[in-house]
């Protein structure tokens, strides 16, 4: 199949050097490769066209010149040669990530053998793993032609994650057997693919936020049509899923219960709001429900994109969780103050008239 290309031809003044460095870094992040001096190429699609157009504006605002061209062929290079250049660039980057992951795995094993793997050190290693996982996902997003190094890097990530999970359990963190019957351990749901129906609304949006914030530190999401499936994915809020409506509970309520998160009062209040909007049965009569519903519907119409909608609603649910938590603290402070005043009044000696 014939490959179409996008070319960015640019020129920047030699000084100051900051715009030149910034442009080079942006090109690296976009996954572009150089085919000639100051001529960079990307495979043509809507996203890469938009990326190059934004970069063109940045170059011109820095006093440079830039042109974006859509080409069916590139003079002096065949499609196969250009694709090989892309794969070589990604393989080099995958190799760097794999080396860091293997180094991290080795450090974890060495510390565990020596008995020096403290909780603080495990948390530090987990932060390093999160950083490397983000870098791996960035590379996968710009791996336009399936470089061979990807499978090795993903395997290195899995080894490192397994080593850290083993270390976490050895430090006394609860495993599946010590949990209440039917309760799921979030440690076993890290870096997973989560699958739900397209055209997101309140229950699925809230569940996505819950997964990202409280269950899986490195989730990936797929949105499918009815009847579609994703191999190896964890399905939720769809027909046949384990994590979906159960009895009178919406999916968000089910997930709170299954992952042992019901002890968080703010999450329980969000569950009540989601329940009232999703099931429309007036069970909790939450005053916030109409407003939250209106905001989500408005964002859905404005964005018309499931991924963008899920990202925007993350801030909405973050704010709701924070607000409900503060309301709870104020209520407790008020109640404590009233009790203190009542106790003081009881202890204060009465004055004789």
């Amino acid at each position: 199949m014939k490959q179409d290309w996008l070319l960015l031809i640019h020129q920047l003044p030699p000084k100051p050097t900051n715009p030149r460095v910034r442009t080079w870094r942006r090109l690296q992040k976009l996954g572009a490769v150089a085919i000639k001096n100051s001529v960079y190429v990307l495979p043509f699609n809507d996203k890469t066209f938009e990326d190059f157009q934004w970069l063109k504006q940045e170059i011109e605002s820095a006093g440079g010149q830039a042109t974006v061209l859509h080409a069916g062929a590139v003079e002096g290079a065949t499609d196969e040669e250009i694709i090989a250049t892309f794969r070589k660039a990604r393989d080099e980057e995958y190799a760097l990530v794999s080396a860091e992951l293997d180094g991290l795995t080795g450090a974890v094993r060495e510390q565990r053998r020596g008995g020096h793997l403290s909780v603080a050190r495990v948390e530090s290693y987990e932060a390093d793993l999160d950083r490397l996982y983000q870098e791996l996902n960035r590379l996968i997003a710009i791996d336009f032609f399936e470089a061979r190094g990807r499978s090795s890097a993903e395997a290195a990530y899995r080894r490192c994650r397994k080593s850290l999970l083993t270390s976490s359990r050895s430090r006394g963190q609860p495993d599946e057997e010590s949990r209440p019957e039917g309760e799921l351990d979030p440690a076993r749901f890290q870096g997973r693919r989560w699958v739900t129906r397209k055209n997101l609304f309140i229950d699925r949006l809230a569940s996505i936020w819950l997964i990202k914030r409280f269950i899986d530190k490195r989730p990936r999401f797929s949105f499918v049509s009815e009847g579609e499936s994703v191999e190896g994915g964890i399905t939720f809020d769809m027909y046949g899923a384990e994590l979906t409506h159960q009895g009178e509970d919406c999916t968000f309520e089910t997930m709170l219960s299954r992952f042992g998160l019901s002890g968080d009062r703010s999450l329980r209040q969000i569950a009540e709001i989601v329940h009232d909007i999703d099931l429309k049965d007036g069970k909790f009569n939450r005053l916030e429900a109409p407003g939250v519903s209106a905001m989500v519907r408005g964002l859905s119409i404005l964005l018309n994109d499931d991924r963008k909608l899920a990202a925007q609603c993350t801030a909405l649910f973050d704010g709701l969780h924070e607000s409900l938590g503060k309301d709870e603290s104020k209520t407790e402070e008020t109640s404590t103050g009233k009790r203190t005043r009542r106790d003081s009044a009881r202890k204060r000696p009465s004055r004789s008239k």
Side-chain angles (χ1 to χ4, degrees), residues 2 58 100 123 134-135 146 173 223 241 281 300 316 347:
K2 186 65 178 172
E58 291 177 20
E100 285 198 66
E123 290 176 352
Q134 290 172 13
E135 175 63 9
E146 299 181 2
Q173 294 185 9
F223 308 127
D281 58 4
S300 177
L316 170 64
K347 294 177 182 177

Side-chain angles (χ1 to χ4, degrees), residues 55-294:
L55 184 53
K56 175 178 181 290
Q57 290 184 31
E58 291 177 20
I59 292 169
E60 290 172 343
S61 66
Q65 297 177 337
T67 302
V68 177
L69 300 174
H70 178 193
V74 177
E75 185 179 354
T78 65
D79 286 355
E80 290 74 19
E81 289 170 337
I82 298 173
I83 290 171
T85 303
F86 273 101
R87 287 173 175 160
K88 182 175 182 293
R90 295 298 85 80
D91 280 336
E92 290 172 355
E93 293 173 305
Y94 280 134
L96 291 174
V97 173
S98 295
E100 285 198 66
L101 285 164
D102 286 339
L104 184 57
T105 302
V108 171
R109 289 172 178 169
E110 186 68 27
Q111 292 291 323
R112 189 168 61 232
R113 280 196 296 266
H116 305 304
L117 198 59
S118 64
V119 172
R121 201 179 292 270
V122 168
E123 290 176 352
S124 175
Y125 286 152
E126 287 177 341
D128 289 339
L129 182 61
D130 282 343
R131 174 182 59 81
L132 290 170
Y133 182 73
Q134 290 172 13
E135 175 63 9
L136 178 58
N137 276 339
R138 184 189 73 80
L139 293 179
I140 290 171
I142 58 173
D143 184 8
F144 304 110
F145 300 104
E146 299 181 2
R148 291 182 179 179
R150 173 176 173 175
S151 59
S152 298
E154 290 177 325
Y157 167 74
R158 288 192 295 270
R159 287 194 298 271
C160 191
R161 185 185 68 178
K162 182 179 179 181
S163 182
L164 269 174
L165 287 175
T166 301
S167 301
S168 297
R169 287 194 288 271
S170 70
R171 295 295 307 175
Q173 294 185 9
D175 57 23
E176 201 73 28
E177 287 75 18
S178 65
R179 291 175 174 271
E181 185 178 355
E183 186 175 302
L184 302 174
D185 181 4
R188 297 179 180 270
F189 290 82
Q190 300 303 301
R192 304 293 292 274
R193 173 74 65 183
W194 300 81
V195 183
T196 192
R197 292 174 292 129
K198 290 181 177 179
N199 303 318
L200 305 178
F201 193 54
I202 187 69
D203 199 9
R204 277 163 285 156
L205 288 167
S207 297
I208 289 169
W209 170 78
L210 186 72
I211 292 165
K212 291 194 292 186
R213 286 290 184 262
F214 296 92
I215 298 172
D216 187 346
K217 293 180 181 178
R218 300 171 293 276
R220 294 166 292 163
F221 293 96
S222 293
F223 308 127
V224 300
S225 301
E226 289 290 348
E228 286 186 309
S229 62
V230 175
E231 186 177 352
I234 301 169
T235 54
F236 65 99
D237 199 53
M238 57 191 297
Y239 180 76
E242 181 182 8
L243 299 171
T244 189
H245 290 222
Q246 291 186 357
E248 295 183 353
D249 290 347
C250 64
T251 299
F252 188 88
E253 292 172 291
T254 298
M255 295 182 79
L256 277 193
S257 174
R258 294 299 308 278
F259 284 99
L261 298 170
S262 299
D264 186 320
R265 188 169 184 271
S266 296
L267 288 179
R268 293 202 308 272
Q269 291 182 82
I270 292 175
E272 292 174 358
I273 296 168
V274 172
H275 179 107
D276 281 353
I277 298 171
D278 189 53
L279 299 181
K280 304 178 183 66
D281 58 4
K283 180 177 180 179
F284 299 105
N285 289 314
R286 296 291 307 203
L287 296 178
E288 304 92 340
V292 172
S293 178

